[in-house]
Amino acid sequence: MKMLKVTAAAATALALSLTATACGSDDGDESGSGGNGNKITVGIKFDQPGLGLKTPDGKYTGFDVDVATYVAKELGHEPGDIEWKEAKSADRETLLERGDVDFIAATYSINEEREKKVDFAGPYLLAHQDILVRADDDSIKKPADLNNKKLCSVTGSTSAQNVKTKLAPQAQLQEYGGYSECLTGLENKVIDALTTDDSILAGYASQKEHQGKFRLGGFKLSNENYGIGVQKGSELKARINTALEKMVSDGSWQEYVEKNFGPADYKNEPAPKIGNVVS
């Protein structure tokens, strides 16, 4: 009987010891939650070469991808910690509001309407609406030259309509399902010009199979301040701004521009200052 009491007491002590060890292990996991192995979900475009593109082999490339990867690293996440999620233009606010992503870097122009729903870090790139034409076409040198020309943009986009309303009322609008279709039409001389943000156009023109075939007009038809979207009131905004400032100061920003847009001879603006949204 005496031996049984000792054994029971020992068993109780062992159970308490294991419980304490387990609790200590949980505490250790929580304290390391900001380090490697901690997942972060980032929204990007999957279909924009030079900015956000998911390649057939499952990799992700582009300026926005490079920027997002740098920012995530500054937030404590290695590239392998990132879960990339497609952020189509119409879905971006919803993805942030529902908490489906931690932040979005997807040619996300800062404007007053969007700022009612989400917060923006940045801007990290100042783009402009522009046109893309064939490299050997010298007939379009200024916006007015688009009159009586076939001008393509994506269905639902306001870019082509802006040109027709403000600059070239006789332009013949052609709406296609995607920019790739417009580009094919441009190459085959079915259309004369493609219009959207110059960064997007430069991304397409920089693709290996397109290099040397197209040129940007350099018209700067609008200002598009790309920001990184976060949930309204999120503390991530300040931390991402700090990361963006470091990215510019250490030369990474310029490296990413040259890497992703260089083959298109993209005349990019200097890196914008944080909080300076150009109207």
Side-chain angles (χ1 to χ4, degrees):
M1 290 294 294
K2 194 169 184 178
M3 286 184 64
L4 286 173
K5 286 182 180 178
V6 171
T7 303
T12 301
L14 178 61
L16 289 172
S17 174
L18 290 173
T19 302
T21 302
C23 290
S25 177
D26 287 345
D27 289 343
D29 288 345
E30 288 175 5
S31 66
S33 64
N36 297 344
N38 183 41
K39 294 296 182 183
I40 186 169
T41 305
V42 180
I44 57 169
K45 293 292 180 67
F46 278 14
D47 60 352
Q48 288 184 346
L51 287 151
L53 181 69
K54 183 178 181 180
T55 61
D57 59 359
K59 295 180 180 178
Y60 301 90
T61 65
F63 181 74
D64 283 346
V65 174
D66 289 337
V67 170
T69 302
Y70 186 103
V71 168
K73 181 72 178 290
E74 292 301 304
L75 296 177
H77 305 273
E78 295 298 324
D81 297 335
I82 302 173
E83 178 185 348
W84 301 105
K85 190 175 185 67
E86 185 172 20
K88 295 180 179 179
S89 295
D91 299 334
R92 290 177 296 201
E93 285 83 34
T94 301
L95 289 171
L96 288 169
E97 289 172 333
R98 289 194 316 213
D100 294 340
V101 294
D102 294 288
F103 67 82
I104 289 178
T107 60
Y108 205 178
S109 297
I110 302 170
N111 63 41
E112 291 182 2
E113 192 61 32
R114 289 170 179 162
E115 286 183 308
K116 294 175 183 177
K117 300 177 180 179
V118 302
D119 283 342
F120 286 97
Y124 64 91
L125 183 72
L126 176 59
H128 306 282
Q129 184 186 339
D130 199 359
I131 66 161
L132 192 72
V133 297
R134 290 181 295 278
D136 59 358
D137 184 356
D138 294 326
S139 66
I140 303 174
K141 297 179 179 179
K142 58 185 183 298
D145 292 337
L146 292 167
N147 281 310
N148 301 313
K149 298 285 189 179
K150 293 185 174 73
L151 177 66
C152 187
S153 194
V154 171
T155 303
S157 168
T158 59
S159 298
Q161 192 61 50
N162 287 341
V163 172
K164 184 172 176 64
T165 301
K166 301 174 182 178
L167 301 167
Q170 276 77 52
Q172 300 172 28
L173 299 189
Q174 308 286 316
E175 290 188 322
Y176 286 15
Y179 293 119
S180 295
E181 295 173 46
C182 284
L183 203 67
T184 299
L186 182 60
E187 184 174 7
N188 295 334
K189 300 185 178 182
V190 176
I191 61 170
D192 301 302
L194 161 60
T195 185
T196 187
D197 295 358
D198 54 7
S199 58
I200 297 173
L201 298 174
Y204 277 104
S206 293
Q207 288 182 288
K208 190 172 183 179
E209 64 270 28
H210 296 145
Q211 289 177 19
K213 295 180 180 180
F214 307 103
R215 65 175 177 83
L216 289 160
F219 292 168
K220 297 185 178 181
L221 303 174
S222 70
N223 294 319
E224 306 296 336
N225 301 267
Y226 290 175
I228 292 182
V230 297
Q231 262 191 348
K232 199 74 176 170
S234 173
E235 53 85 26
L236 278 181
K237 176 180 177 179
R239 296 174 64 194
I240 292 174
N241 278 336
T242 299
L244 293 175
E245 289 173 340
K246 181 179 178 182
M247 181 180 68
V248 173
S249 66
D250 69 14
S252 297
W253 183 89
Q254 187 61 39
E255 175 189 331
Y256 300 154
V257 168
E258 293 172 2
K259 168 187 170 185
N260 292 292
F261 304 130
D265 195 26
Y266 177 46
K267 304 296 191 298
N268 64 281
E269 298 281 3
K273 295 199 177 296
I274 299 300
N276 183 24
V277 178
V278 180
S279 59

